[in-house]
Amino acid sequence: MRQERAKRTRRQILDAAGKLFAALGYERATVVDLLSHSGVTKGAFYFHFSSKEDVARALFRDRSPRQGLVAPQEFRLQELVDGHLVLTSRLRNDARERGCFRLCLEQGLDDELRRSWLLERIVFNEELLAAAREEGELSAHVSVRETAEFLVSACVGLQLMSQTVIDDADTGMERRIVLLLRNVMSDIAVPDVYAELDIDQDRGIKLLEM
C-alpha cells in the first residue's frame, strides 16, 4: 500500500508538471506552483525529486518512447504518417507530452535534455524513410536525412503555431498536420504507394484508442 501511494504521488507531481511547463514554461514555473497544482506536501515532493530540473528530466525519461509506438503497416510510409498523427493527438490530449514539447523549446534547461525530444523524432523519421527507400516506396529524388529533418521542423512549427498563435479550441492542429503530410507524401512517395496511404484527420486518435 505504501509503494502504491508513493507511485500515485509521483504521478500527481509529473501530471501537474506537464500542465505547468506547457502553460508557463520552465523558467516561470516554480516548485511552489508544482506543490500547489499537484496537491502534495513539500516533504513528499522532495522525497521523489531534488529540484524543478529533476522533475523536468523525469518528464522526458518517463514519457512513451519513440514517436508513438505505431503498429506495423503494409507500407513504411504509412507508419511514418501514423507516427506524426499519433504524436499530434498525444500533444492535444496528454499534458506530459505537451510539457515535454514546451521544454524542448526552452532555454533554461541544458542542451542535451532539450535536444533529446527532437533528436528522437528525427531518428524515427530517418529510420522509416530509409526502410521505405529499401522497399521501393520513395521517389528517386528524395534525400532521407533532409526529409526527416524537414518533417520534424515543419511539424514542430505547426504545433507551436497552433498552441501559441492561433485559437485552436477544436482540431485545428490535426488539420494542419494532415495538410502537411499530404503535401509531403505526394512529393516523396511513388504514386502507387501514395494512393494507398491513409492520411485522415481522425486516424491518430483512433490509433491511440486501439
Side-chain angles (χ1 to χ4, degrees), residues 157-208:
L158 284 177
Q159 289 154 359
L160 181 62
M161 182 176 70
S162 293
Q163 291 182 22
T164 62
V165 178
I166 297 175
D167 181 10
D168 226 17
D170 56 5
T171 55
M173 185 160 65
E174 283 88 344
R175 289 199 306 273
R176 295 183 188 95
I177 293 295
V178 163
L179 179 61
L180 170 69
L181 291 172
R182 285 175 178 166
N183 278 280
V184 171
M185 292 301 148
S186 68
D187 179 65
I188 70 173
V190 297
D192 288 349
V193 170
Y194 178 70
E196 297 296 325
L197 297 180
D198 183 356
I199 314 177
D200 185 76
Q201 183 175 313
D202 297 324
R203 184 173 172 83
I205 193 67
K206 290 176 181 178
L207 290 170
L208 280 177

Side-chain angles (χ1 to χ4, degrees), residues 17 19 27 34 42 76 97 109 114 166 181 187 204:
K19 294 176 182 177
E27 289 295 337
L34 288 170
K42 190 174 183 180
R76 301 293 77 74
E97 194 70 46
L109 293 171
R114 291 170 53 236
I166 297 175
L181 291 172
D187 179 65

Side-chain angles (χ1 to χ4, degrees), residues 48 53 65 140:
H48 292 280
E53 182 175 348

Side-chain angles (χ1 to χ4, degrees), residues 38-109:
S38 65
V40 306
T41 65
K42 190 174 183 180
F45 176 89
Y46 283 109
F47 175 81
H48 292 280
F49 303 104
S50 61
S51 64
K52 181 176 68 172
E53 182 175 348
D54 194 24
V55 175
R57 289 183 178 278
L59 268 184
F60 281 98
R61 186 172 59 248
D62 288 9
R63 59 176 297 278
S64 298
R66 308 292 292 174
Q67 189 94 2
L69 297 175
V70 295
Q73 302 292 330
E74 179 181 0
F75 299 111
R76 301 293 77 74
L77 288 181
Q78 184 66 65
E79 294 174 26
L80 181 61
V81 166
D82 289 352
H84 284 281
L85 295 177
V86 166
L87 174 61
T88 301
S89 294
R90 285 177 57 193
L91 280 167
R92 176 173 296 282
N93 298 293
D94 186 336
R96 293 195 193 186
E97 194 70 46
R98 289 196 303 276
C100 287
F101 174 73
R102 177 69 181 267
L103 288 173
C104 83
L105 304 175
E106 293 277 320
Q107 299 297 318
L109 293 171

